[in-house]
Amino acid sequence: MLDPATVTAVLAPALPYLLRTGDQLASQAAERLGEHTWNLATRLWVRLAEAVRGRPAAEEVFEDVAANPQDADARAALAYQVRKLAQEDPDLATALEQLIAEAERGGVTAAGDRSVATSGGVRDSVIVTGDNVGVDR
């Protein structure tokens, strides 16, 4: 079953690059996000772009995340839109699931300051990437 949060996690940091064009931007995105993540985000966007076009609410959400990829509310709205699109189009859902599964088999890349990469899922865990951070559980 498709996990919209996974699609959102891959797409959100890539959307500022995906929604603009240019070879230089693609090169910057691949460098910043990692080649593996950039390729997956590009492939997910290719499948989603057609479903998003002509749907003002979906278009606005994708643009909002592109403008502020770290905004938790925008990301939640993106996950909701991905879920709606997938529910309305089972072929799209299957294609997205296959892309995610293929990427999970192919490896994981983390890029950028204090990035974290995992293979599989991480639930009910704390990942700390800062200095001098204490975690109370």
Side-chain angles (χ1 to χ4, degrees), residues 59-133:
E59 289 174 348
E60 182 177 7
V61 166
F62 277 81
E63 290 167 8
D64 288 347
V65 174
N68 191 357
Q70 300 304 317
D71 184 286
D73 292 334
R75 290 172 76 120
L78 179 63
Y80 176 73
Q81 285 296 326
V82 169
R83 186 181 77 202
K84 277 180 57 174
L85 293 168
Q87 286 173 341
E88 292 171 11
D89 184 350
D91 291 338
L92 174 64
T94 299
L96 297 177
E97 287 172 8
Q98 289 173 345
L99 289 171
I100 296 292
E102 186 179 302
E104 287 175 347
R105 288 189 302 273
V108 177
T109 301
D113 292 342
R114 303 189 189 282
S115 294
V116 175
T118 67
S119 180
V122 177
R123 297 204 189 272
D124 299 322
S125 298
V126 175
I127 299 173
V128 177
T129 63
D131 295 329
N132 303 316
V133 176

